[in-house]
Amino acid sequence: MNREIEYPAVALTTATRCRFDLTFRRATRPRPIRPGHLGGELIDDARHIGHHNSGGWEHLPNSLPDSDNPQDWADHYASMAIAQSVHEALEWFQVDGRPWLDPHDHAITHNDGVSTDIDALVDEFAARLAQLRRRTHA
């Protein structure tokens, strides 16, 4: 059954104020993966049209797993991919031309320009996804 859904007016007017111009595509060459670094090609900068950023992601040495278990390392590498994806989504999802939640906003707790508040939430999310994966792929 295909029924037209009627959305409230506020939902429709708010949608006109929002933009999400982030796109995903397959990398033209494999992204190098190292314990504290997820490499990547240049990507468009959400904040400055025509500028680019490194497509990589860094993790601090103190966040590396102290483990000989390959699953722990796979979870770590997945957490870097998730962190980069969330960071980019937060930059690219905009309301009235500004990020909905800017990961570079100095009102958020930062360490060297990186939001520790957002990072902590993303780390928790990634850990819960890892638990789900281990439970469903045991």
Side-chain angles (χ1 to χ4, degrees), residues 23-42:
T23 61
F24 294 93
R25 64 173 172 75
R26 184 174 301 278
T28 59
R29 61 179 195 262
R31 294 181 68 171
I33 298 175
R34 302 289 180 264
H37 178 76
L38 178 64
E41 301 171 0
L42 290 178

Side-chain angles (χ1 to χ4, degrees), residues 29-107:
R29 61 179 195 262
R31 294 181 68 171
I33 298 175
R34 302 289 180 264
H37 178 76
L38 178 64
E41 301 171 0
L42 290 178
I43 57 175
D44 290 342
D45 186 324
R47 302 157 103 206
H48 305 99
I49 295 173
H51 292 170
H52 298 87
N53 290 322
S54 160
W57 190 259
E58 304 285 331
H59 258 212
L60 299 174
N62 64 353
S63 67
L64 301 177
D66 182 19
S67 173
D68 291 331
N69 183 339
Q71 186 64 47
D72 293 336
W73 283 96
D75 293 348
H76 166 71
Y77 297 134
S79 76
M80 287 195 300
I82 293 164
Q84 182 185 17
S85 298
V86 169
H87 180 93
E88 292 302 319
L90 290 174
E91 287 182 338
W92 283 93
F93 183 76
Q94 299 183 1
V95 179
D96 298 328
R98 297 180 51 207
W100 175 75
L101 177 61
D102 186 347
H104 300 283
D105 186 336
H106 293 289

